[in-house]
Amino acid sequence: MMRLKRYILLAIFLINVVMSVPTTSNREKEEVEEAGGGNGNEDEGPFARPVKNGKTFANPPSFKNWGGIPGFFQIPKLLFKETNLENVPTDKRLLDVEIPVHNITASDFQSDSDLFATWLGHATVLVSLEGVKFITDPVWAERASFTSFAGPKRYRPPPMELEDLPELDFAVVSHDHYDHLDAEAVKKITDMNPGIHWFVPMGMKSWMEGQGIGIDGSSSVTELSWGEHGTFEKNGKEFQVWCLPAQHWGQRGPFDRNRRLWSGWAVIGENRRFYYSGDTGNCDSEFKKFGKKLGPFDLAAIPIGAYEPRWFMKSQHINPEEAIGVHEMIRSKNSIGIHWGTYHMGSYEYYLEPRDKLKELMDAREDLKDTNFVTIEMGRIWEAPDKK
């Protein structure tokens, strides 16, 4: 009975978000080629541009690994022909041992390093880089969903309450999916930080304004497309905030598929560089460009979870092996594995496999011994080594 209930809830969630993806027209392909994508030399040239088809966005043809999202009629295959190996224990004591959560407050978020960070669960990372503090995709919701009774449920709590966040200078949002865009968290963070600056992909500014953000002149919203960057100034220092290509999609309601763009982000300071991928499949030619044009990065936050079964997840989520490829291509000196161990995301890998697989693969990569790609416990402070 419990298994049937789980299938029903999962089906409700999947029906809401899994539909066929619009195909790319010849006209759209021509637009992308004119922008520098799909020209047979994808590792060079400008960053790819998203295809714009009226009011919607799409991944460009130069993303050779984009196969679209599985259609509605493939849901039965996922539910009844695949084995779900997630097996998250219901015993909180066991979870406390396997995926510890260390409660922290603003006063705990400090270091002598000019670059430090902590993982607050899923894709939420709190970063201090050369004196500016910012956060990626802040999500605190109990369910990352449009409804309170279905969709991804949190099984590990945030290590920090929203009220305990330090003063934030800016934030980046990668896309509009509920596990990356928590409306209540966004509004509360803005209320606590009236001068905060939000950097968002194209199409999302109007959503932010609908939440009352960026309309009263205190908080502000900068909307960017791939390859564009904004600036943030503090204490005489200027920071570049780059909106970068990602292979994904967007949807928040039943009728807004791909109305808002998806992206990754890079924050470039005078001496330190940070990269956050958002959700992405393996658009490898773009990752190589990031490394050449903006790298090497001192720290990257790269997803390692929600990747099985591959036929269902491959286009939109990388697995640990591909994540290591991203780490290598962007020339990251240090990377933290995120997007695992927090929510029941509907993926079928064993709940600890992303962490364990990452370590196993990195231990075997002698060519990457001079770099680090690790997972950290929620609430622990990661500090960058001194620059050589």
Side-chain angles (χ1 to χ4, degrees):
M1 187 67 183
M2 288 299 295
R3 186 173 181 178
L4 177 60
K5 181 180 178 182
R6 183 176 183 180
Y7 280 148
I8 292 172
L9 292 177
L10 180 59
I12 292 171
F13 172 64
L14 291 172
I15 287 170
N16 183 70
V17 299
V18 180
M19 294 175 257
S20 60
V21 175
T23 57
T24 304
S25 69
N26 289 333
R27 178 181 176 184
E28 291 160 356
K29 289 180 182 179
E30 291 170 1
E31 290 172 353
V32 172
E33 287 168 0
E34 290 173 1
N39 58 9
N41 193 22
E42 289 86 356
D43 295 350
E44 303 293 340
F47 296 124
R49 293 183 188 175
V51 171
K52 188 72 187 297
N53 182 19
K55 295 181 178 180
T56 64
F57 296 93
N59 291 300
S62 59
F63 286 13
K64 304 301 183 184
N65 296 318
W66 174 250
I69 304 166
F72 175 80
F73 292 104
Q74 290 177 294
I75 292 177
K77 177 182 176 182
L78 177 69
L79 294 178
F80 303 113
K81 293 188 177 181
E82 297 286 350
T83 302
N84 188 342
L85 302 176
E86 185 187 33
N87 293 327
V88 177
T90 57
D91 187 343
K92 181 181 178 298
R93 293 171 299 178
L94 179 56
L95 280 171
D96 287 341
V97 173
E98 297 288 3
I99 308 179
V101 176
H102 305 277
N103 295 326
I104 60 172
T105 63
S107 61
D108 301 313
F109 187 65
Q110 55 184 319
S111 168
D112 292 331
S113 174
D114 63 348
L115 174 59
F116 60 98
T118 186
W119 179 43
L120 299 181
H122 200 54
T124 305
V125 183
L126 178 63
V127 183
S128 176
L129 186 150
E130 296 185 55
V132 293
K133 290 184 174 64
F134 61 93
I135 197 167
T136 69
D137 288 354
V139 174
W140 263 257
E142 184 65 21
R143 279 195 189 272
S145 175
F146 64 98
T147 177
S148 62
F149 67 89
K153 185 175 182 179
R154 184 184 286 270
Y155 61 86
R156 289 278 75 196
M160 178 182 280
E161 298 295 331
L162 268 168
E163 296 81 2
D164 291 331
L165 281 167
E167 184 177 347
L168 296 174
D169 295 298
F170 63 88
V172 297
V173 175
S174 67
H175 64 296
D176 64 5
H177 286 162
Y178 286 88
D179 61 315
H180 291 258
L181 182 58
D182 177 351
E184 292 305 312
V186 167
K187 287 186 284 188
K188 196 162 189 177
I189 286 172
T190 305
D191 289 341
M192 294 187 301
N193 301 270
I196 193 170
H197 198 120
W198 292 89
F199 291 91
V200 300
M202 293 298 292
M204 197 169 288
K205 186 174 183 178
S206 60
W207 183 91
M208 300 289 285
E209 291 174 343
Q211 310 302 310
I213 300 169
I215 60 175
D216 61 358
S218 58
S219 61
S220 56
V221 180
T222 295
E223 187 179 65
L224 299 169
S225 189
W226 297 349
E228 296 178 344
H229 72 274
T231 59
F232 183 87
E233 294 185 8
K234 183 178 181 180
N235 297 331
K237 292 183 179 180
E238 182 175 282
F239 301 84
Q240 293 183 353
V241 183
W242 284 80
C243 180
L244 297 176
Q247 181 177 294
H248 204 58
W249 58 292
Q251 183 170 359
R252 200 161 177 87
F255 307 112
D256 64 353
R257 166 67 64 86
N258 292 342
R259 291 292 181 92
R260 294 173 282 269
L261 186 58
W262 46 96
S263 72
W265 294 94
V267 178
I268 310 298
E270 291 181 358
N271 299 298
R272 296 291 194 175
R273 295 167 180 252
F274 170 82
Y275 169 69
Y276 167 58
S277 67
D279 272 357
T280 186
N282 189 19
C283 50
D284 49 357
S285 61
E286 295 304 308
F287 298 137
K288 293 174 183 175
K289 291 177 191 175
F290 304 164
K292 289 178 180 178
K293 296 176 183 293
L294 298 175
F297 291 95
D298 298 284
L299 176 62
I302 302 173
I304 61 171
Y307 53 84
E308 290 290 353
R310 291 310 285 148
W311 64 266
F312 193 86
M313 296 290 188
K314 185 175 178 62
S315 284
Q316 53 191 314
H317 290 159
I318 53 177
N319 62 17
E321 185 174 12
E322 290 168 327
I324 292 173
V326 175
H327 167 80
E328 183 177 13
M329 285 183 280
I330 67 171
R331 298 196 295 153
S332 180
K333 300 172 185 177
N334 305 279
S335 295
I336 296 172
I338 60 169
H339 205 264
W340 73 281
T342 310
Y343 285 98
H344 294 282
M345 287 302 299
S347 58
Y348 284 6
E349 73 272 7
Y350 179 57
Y351 80 109
L352 295 178
E353 183 180 286
R355 179 195 69 188
D356 297 345
K357 193 69 174 177
L358 176 68
K359 185 178 186 307
E360 174 190 337
L361 292 169
M362 280 299 294
D363 286 347
R365 290 293 301 268
E366 291 292 333
D367 58 321
L368 296 178
K369 291 299 183 185
D370 290 336
T371 72
N372 296 291
F373 192 171
V374 299
T375 57
I376 62 173
E377 296 175 356
M378 295 182 207
R380 290 299 194 203
I381 306 298
W382 177 93
E383 298 174 303
D386 292 336
K387 289 184 76 72
K388 297 178 180 179

